[in-house]
Amino acid sequence: MSHDRFEDPVTILVGMGLPVRLETMMEAYALLQDWPAASRSSAYAIALNACKAGIAGEIDAEMVRTTLVAFARRHNILAPDIVSLAPAALAGRASTSNNG
């Protein structure tokens, strides 16, 4: 695994609920660089600084990921993990189809 990749990607909802899957520190940094100035918060600053430190090799990718998740939660844009939700959705569909 590359040192700049997250173990588990982070999916963030941007624009009209469009999901963006971030797999590396550089992808996270690019997204944060484009973040609207009016919506920047202390969580934003921490995540951006973590990306810079991670890219410089000062902290690991998982620390960067942690700050990115905190930023996304603070702004209520963290997308649910679709992969982990799939079994529950399929189980729900199976139980409703048996009732009909």
Side-chain angles (χ1 to χ4, degrees):
M1 178 187 290
S2 177
H3 78 283
D4 69 332
R5 293 186 94 54
F6 303 138
E7 284 185 28
D8 294 313
V10 177
T11 304
I12 294 178
L13 301 174
V14 295
M16 303 290 291
L18 176 69
V20 173
R21 184 178 168 108
L22 304 172
E23 298 181 358
T24 68
M25 292 186 277
M26 284 302 295
E27 291 171 349
Y29 180 75
L31 179 125
L32 292 169
Q33 283 291 100
D34 290 339
W35 199 253
S39 298
R40 295 179 182 180
S41 63
S42 59
Y44 164 87
I46 292 167
L48 183 67
N49 288 335
C51 285
K52 290 177 186 177
I55 292 166
E58 298 168 2
I59 62 174
D60 67 17
E62 291 312 300
M63 181 59 72
V64 174
R65 184 185 185 283
T66 298
T67 64
L68 184 61
V69 168
F71 160 76
R73 284 189 177 139
R74 166 73 168 80
H75 290 273
N76 201 28
I77 58 170
L78 184 64
D81 181 6
I82 301 302
V83 174
S84 67
L85 293 177
L90 291 174
R93 187 181 321 152
S95 67
T96 58
S97 65
N98 291 336
N99 294 334

